[in-house]
C-alpha cells in the first residue's frame, strides 16, 4: 500500500511526535475520528469566497451584505456609524489610518446604509471588510484586548498584582535611585504631582560600606517619603555578566532590597505587596526614549509636561500652581542633569498609563 504523508490524517502520539498513516486505511472509527476537526463553539465567521468575485477580480456590490443576516448587519452598522476612530482601533485590521478613514467617510457621505459602503472607504477592500465585520460581531476580540492588557501589566510590573487592586489605588510614590541620589514622585490617579523631590546620598559611593550603613542611610530617606497605597521602584537593566559594573550592580541590589523591606512592612501580616517594580527600559519604550538598548534622558519630556500643565486644559500631568515655578526652575535652570528626578516622574506617569490607559479619564 502506498503511504502518503497527509496533514489531515496525522495522529499525535504522546504530545511530542507525529506519525504519518495511510490516507486510505481501515483504521477503527475511534482513530479515524481523531483526524476530524473539533467543532468550535465560537460564533461562526464568514469567509470571503473567491466565487463571490466577478471574473475581473472585483466583488459584486451586494456580496458583503449576503454574508450576514439582517440582524448582524444592523449590529455592524451601529458600530460603524457611532464609534470614534479610537474605539474602532479595538477591532481587527482597523488600527491606524483605516479607522480614521471610516470616520472621515462617515462625515463626508453620511452614515453607512449598507455593509457594501464599507468597501468605498480608502484602504479597505472586500476581504478586509469581511474581517472587520467578523471582528465587530465576535466578542473574543474584546476579551483578547483585556487579556493583552493583563499580559502587559504582568510583563512590566512585578510582582504580579490583581488588575482590580491596581486600578483601586488612590496614590503612588515612584522611587528611582542612582549611585549618589534617591528621587521620588508622589502622584494621585488624576495624575497630579503631590510631592516631587530628591535627596543626595554622596556617602554611598565614597567607599565600600556594610549593609548596616545602607540600612541607616536609607531609613533616613524613607522618613521623608510620603505615605501612599503603592511604592514603585525602578528595576535596573544592568547585567551581572558585565563584571566591570559589578560594584554598581551590588549597590543597586542592596538599595532595592532595603527599600523593599522598609516600605513593605505589612506583607508578613496580610500578604499584600505594596512595593512593586518596573523595568527601566520598559518605561523608556513607553515614552519612546530608547535608542537601541540605550535609554536617553527624559529631561525634555518633563519640560513638555510642565509646559502642558499651563497651556492645556487637560494635560498629561497636573502640577500644583503654587509649586509649578519651583519645579520648572529645578528642571530648566539646573546646571547638571538630575536624571533620577526626571525618571521618578516618568515612571509614575507610565505606571498610571499602563494600568488605566493613556487616554482614559481617571476619576478620583
Amino acid at each position: 500500500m502506498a503511504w502518503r504523508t497527509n496533514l489531515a490524517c496525522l495522529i499525535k502520539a504522546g504530545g511530542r511526535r507525529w506519525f504519518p498513516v495511510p490516507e486510505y486505511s481501515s483504521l477503527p472509527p475511534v482513530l479515524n475520528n481523531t483526524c476530524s476537526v473539533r467543532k468550535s463553539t465560537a460564533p461562526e465567521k464568514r469567509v470571503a469566497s473567491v466565487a463571490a468575485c466577478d471574473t475581473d477580480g472585483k466583488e459584486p456590490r451586494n456580496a458583503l451584505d449576503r454574508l450576514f443576516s439582517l440582524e448582524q448587519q444592523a449590529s455592524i452598522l451601529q458600530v460603524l456609524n457611532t464609534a470614534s476612530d479610537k474605539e474602532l482601533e479595538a477591532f481587527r485590521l482597523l488600527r491606524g489610518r483605516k479607522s480614521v478613514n471610516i470616520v472621515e467617510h462617515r462625515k463626508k457621505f453620511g452614515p453607512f446604509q449598507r455593509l457594501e459602503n464599507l468597501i468605498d472607504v480608502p484602504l479597505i477592500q472586500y476581504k478586509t471588510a469581511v474581517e472587520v465585520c467578523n471582528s465587530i460581531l465576535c466578542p473574543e476580540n474584546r476579551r483578547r484586548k483585556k487579556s493583552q492588557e493583563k499580559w502587559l501589566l504582568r510583563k512590566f510590573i512585578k510582582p504580579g498584582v490583581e488588575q482590580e487592586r491596581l486600578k483601586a489605588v488612590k496614590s503612588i510614590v515612584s522611587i528611582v535611585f542612582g549611585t549618589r541620589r534617591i528621587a521620588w514622585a508622589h502622584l494621585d490617579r488624576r495624575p497630579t504631582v503631590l510631592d516631587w523631590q530628591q535627596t543626595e546620598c554622596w556617602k554611598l559611593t565614597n567607599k565600600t560600606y556594610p549593609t548596616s550603613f545602607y540600612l541607616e542611610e536609607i531609613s533616613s530617606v524613607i522618613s521623608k517619603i510620603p505615605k501612599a497605597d503603592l511604592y514603585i521602584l525602578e528595576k535596573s537593566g544592568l547585567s551581572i555578566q558585565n563584571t566591570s559594573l559589578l560594584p554598581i550592580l551590588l549597590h543597586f541590589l542592596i538599595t532595592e532590597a532595603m527599600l523593599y523591606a522598609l516600605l513593605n512592612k505589612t506583607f508578613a501580616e496580610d500578604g499584600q505587596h505594596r512595593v512593586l517594580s518596573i523595568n527601566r527600559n520598559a518605561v523608556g519604550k513607553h515614552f519612546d526614549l530608547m535608542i537601541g538598548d540605550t535609554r536617553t534622558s527624559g529631561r525634555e519630556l518633563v519640560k513638555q509636561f510642565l509646559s502642558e500643565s499651563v497651556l492645556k486644559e487637560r494635560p498629561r500631568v497636573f502640577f500644583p500652581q503654587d509649586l509649578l515655578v519651583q519645579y520648572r526652575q529645578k528642571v530648566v535652570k539646573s546646571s547638571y542633569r538630575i536624571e533620577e528626578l526626571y525618571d521618578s516622574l516618568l515612571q509614575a506617569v507610565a505606571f498610571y498609563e499602563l494600568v488605566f490607559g493613556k487616554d482614559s479619564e481617571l476619576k478620583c
Side-chain angles (χ1 to χ4, degrees), residues 38-87:
R38 181 179 296 179
K39 186 176 181 180
S40 173
T41 58
E44 182 181 358
K45 293 185 178 181
R46 308 300 180 182
V47 179
S49 173
V50 177
C53 299
D54 294 335
T55 55
D56 58 357
K58 296 182 179 180
E59 70 286 344
R61 294 302 297 172
N62 63 343
L64 187 60
D65 293 276
R66 290 188 302 183
L67 290 176
F68 302 94
S69 67
L70 293 177
E71 182 179 355
Q72 290 174 329
Q73 292 179 37
S75 298
I76 297 170
L77 290 173
Q78 173 69 17
V79 173
L80 293 176
N81 288 327
T82 59
S84 66
D85 55 338
K86 296 296 183 183
E87 292 170 335

Side-chain angles (χ1 to χ4, degrees), residues 4-206:
R4 299 181 183 178
T5 304
N6 190 332
L7 294 179
C9 297
L10 293 177
I11 301 177
K12 187 176 182 181
R16 293 178 180 273
R17 299 179 181 176
W18 297 82
F19 296 95
V21 299
E23 183 178 5
Y24 307 103
S25 65
S26 56
L27 289 174
V30 175
L31 292 182
N32 277 324
N33 288 339
T34 62
C35 297
S36 63
V37 179
R38 181 179 296 179
K39 186 176 181 180
S40 173
T41 58
E44 182 181 358
K45 293 185 178 181
R46 308 300 180 182
V47 179
S49 173
V50 177
C53 299
D54 294 335
T55 55
D56 58 357
K58 296 182 179 180
E59 70 286 344
R61 294 302 297 172
N62 63 343
L64 187 60
D65 293 276
R66 290 188 302 183
L67 290 176
F68 302 94
S69 67
L70 293 177
E71 182 179 355
Q72 290 174 329
Q73 292 179 37
S75 298
I76 297 170
L77 290 173
Q78 173 69 17
V79 173
L80 293 176
N81 288 327
T82 59
S84 66
D85 55 338
K86 296 296 183 183
E87 292 170 335
L88 288 171
E89 287 185 354
F91 300 108
R92 180 177 173 83
L93 300 181
L94 286 186
R95 289 181 177 270
R97 188 62 197 174
K98 291 188 180 70
S99 60
V100 176
N101 288 346
I102 289 177
V103 175
E104 291 179 349
H105 185 278
R106 198 170 64 200
K107 291 179 180 178
K108 185 176 181 179
F109 299 101
F112 292 92
Q113 301 297 324
R114 303 173 62 88
L115 297 185
E116 66 187 38
N117 299 141
L118 188 60
I119 305 174
D120 297 329
V121 177
L123 302 181
I124 297 182
Q125 299 178 350
Y126 175 70
K127 289 185 179 181
T128 303
V130 174
E131 290 288 340
V132 169
C133 293
N134 278 326
S135 66
I136 292 175
L137 290 176
C138 183
E140 290 183 359
N141 289 329
R142 296 188 182 273
R143 289 199 296 268
R144 188 180 298 114
K145 183 180 179 181
K146 291 182 179 179
S147 176
Q148 184 180 20
E149 291 176 351
K150 291 182 179 179
W151 177 80
L152 286 173
L153 292 178
R154 289 196 302 268
K155 180 180 180 181
F156 295 135
I157 300 177
K158 303 288 186 179
V161 176
E162 298 81 2
Q163 190 174 10
E164 293 73 17
R165 182 171 170 235
L166 292 177
K167 290 189 174 183
V169 300
K170 295 182 178 179
S171 71
I172 64 169
V173 171
S174 168
I175 303 173
V176 174
F177 48 88
T179 56
R180 297 186 174 183
R181 61 183 68 93
I182 297 178
W184 62 87
H186 185 202
L187 274 70
D188 65 15
R189 53 191 283 145
R190 192 182 180 194
T192 299
V193 178
L194 306 177
D195 185 39
W196 186 33
Q197 57 180 298
Q198 67 178 10
T199 183
E200 302 294 334
C201 300
W202 302 102
K203 297 179 182 178
L204 295 181
T205 57
N206 288 343

Side-chain angles (χ1 to χ4, degrees), residues 9 19 39 42 50 52 54 64 88 92 159 193 239-240 248 255 261-262 285-286 293 295 305 311 321 340 348 359:
C9 297
F19 296 95
K39 186 176 181 180
V50 177
D54 294 335
L64 187 60
L88 288 171
R92 180 177 173 83
V193 178
S239 173
I240 196 172
I248 298 177
T255 304
L262 295 173
K285 291 177 181 178
H286 182 77
D293 295 331
R295 176 171 160 178
F305 288 169
L311 301 175
Q321 293 300 315
E340 291 85 359
D359 299 319

Side-chain angles (χ1 to χ4, degrees), residues 273-285:
H273 291 282
R274 288 177 176 80
V275 182
L276 309 178
S277 65
I278 299 183
N279 185 276
R280 172 177 171 79
N281 286 349
V283 177
K285 291 177 181 178

Side-chain angles (χ1 to χ4, degrees), residues 171-337:
S171 71
I172 64 169
V173 171
S174 168
I175 303 173
V176 174
F177 48 88
T179 56
R180 297 186 174 183
R181 61 183 68 93
I182 297 178
W184 62 87
H186 185 202
L187 274 70
D188 65 15
R189 53 191 283 145
R190 192 182 180 194
T192 299
V193 178
L194 306 177
D195 185 39
W196 186 33
Q197 57 180 298
Q198 67 178 10
T199 183
E200 302 294 334
C201 300
W202 302 102
K203 297 179 182 178
L204 295 181
T205 57
N206 288 343
K207 61 180 181 179
T208 303
Y209 288 97
T211 53
S212 58
F213 182 86
Y214 275 87
L215 180 60
E216 179 182 351
E217 190 79 9
I218 295 176
S219 296
S220 175
V221 173
I222 287 180
S223 65
K224 305 174 186 177
I225 295 178
K227 303 294 183 182
D229 295 326
L230 290 176
Y231 299 91
I232 314 298
L233 306 182
E234 180 184 75
K235 191 72 174 179
S236 170
L238 293 179
S239 173
I240 196 172
Q241 296 179 350
N242 191 339
T243 56
S244 63
L245 296 178
L246 189 58
I248 298 177
L249 178 61
L250 182 61
H251 162 73
F252 284 160
L253 292 176
I254 294 176
T255 304
E256 180 184 7
M258 292 292 178
L259 287 169
Y260 186 89
L262 295 173
L263 292 171
N264 212 25
K265 293 181 180 179
T266 60
F267 179 76
E269 301 173 4
D270 55 21
Q272 296 290 331
H273 291 282
R274 288 177 176 80
V275 182
L276 309 178
S277 65
I278 299 183
N279 185 276
R280 172 177 171 79
N281 286 349
V283 177
K285 291 177 181 178
H286 182 77
F287 291 111
D288 294 325
L289 295 176
M290 301 299 296
I291 299 180
D293 295 331
T294 303
R295 176 171 160 178
T296 60
S297 174
R299 183 181 187 182
E300 295 303 317
L301 185 57
V302 171
K303 288 167 62 177
Q304 178 182 328
F305 288 169
L306 288 164
S307 299
E308 290 177 353
S309 183
V310 178
L311 301 175
K312 290 188 176 182
E313 180 181 355
R314 177 123 192 114
R316 201 165 176 179
V317 185
F318 292 88
F319 292 87
Q321 293 300 315
D322 57 332
L323 296 176
L324 187 59
V325 175
Q326 174 186 334
Y327 289 150
R328 185 170 181 82
Q329 289 178 344
K330 186 182 297 185
V331 173
V332 177
K333 296 185 178 181
S334 176
S335 59
Y336 60 94
R337 292 186 180 275

